[in-house]
Amino acid sequence: MAIDAIGSIVNNGSASTEGRNTIDQEGFIKLFLAQLQFQDPLEPVDNREFLAQLAQFSNLEQSRQLSMNSEALLTMTSASQALSLLNRKVEVSQAGGTGVSGTVTAIQFTPSGPDLTVDVNGSVLTGIRLPQVSLVRP
């Protein structure tokens, strides 16, 4: 899940090719077990290679846990940023580069991050994302 922050650059939804070159935990275990199952009994895997592969598996699991923890931290930070904007005057950038000023009156938490509702002189803007906030006034 992508989490937006105030002033971050919005990604235009370009597809990432990074996922095609990686293997997940389940794939690694299947590959590792297949290697053990089909090894030549007359020439078993060298102990150093076996330990290196176990270390890689451990490293993969630690990386996965770190990624999950980082995502949770980003979610909490994003929620905290949104809550701090409640009843504050903000300037919001809209499509076409125009900016409007208003007061944040509500926050809706969605799977993609918080959406702000901004009151601009009686007119209500909904679905405002945190990266659209360009200025926060006291």
Side-chain angles (χ1 to χ4, degrees), residues 50-110:
F50 185 72
L51 289 175
Q53 289 175 354
L54 284 176
Q56 287 175 343
F57 175 73
S58 175
N59 196 11
L60 175 70
E61 179 62 22
Q62 289 175 354
S63 295
R64 189 183 67 78
Q65 287 290 332
L66 181 61
S67 175
M68 286 176 35
N69 291 341
S70 296
E71 186 175 320
L73 181 62
L74 286 173
T75 300
M76 288 188 304
T77 301
S78 178
S80 176
Q81 284 181 345
L83 287 172
S84 71
L85 295 176
L86 198 56
N87 295 322
R88 302 276 307 263
K89 291 190 182 297
V90 295
E91 192 169 303
V92 177
S93 300
Q94 293 184 309
T98 61
V100 293
S101 293
T103 304
V104 177
T105 57
I107 301 167
Q108 179 180 2
F109 294 96
T110 65

Side-chain angles (χ1 to χ4, degrees), residues 23 25-39 45 49-57:
I23 186 170
Q25 179 181 3
E26 186 176 326
F28 181 82
I29 291 172
K30 286 180 182 179
L31 183 64
F32 188 70
L33 290 177
Q35 179 183 357
L36 288 176
Q37 183 179 5
F38 295 111
Q39 70 178 335
V45 176
E49 289 179 36
F50 185 72
L51 289 175
Q53 289 175 354
L54 284 176
Q56 287 175 343
F57 175 73

Side-chain angles (χ1 to χ4, degrees), residues 106-123:
I107 301 167
Q108 179 180 2
F109 294 96
T110 65
S112 60
D115 285 343
L116 307 176
T117 300
V118 179
D119 181 4
V120 180
N121 300 326
S123 175

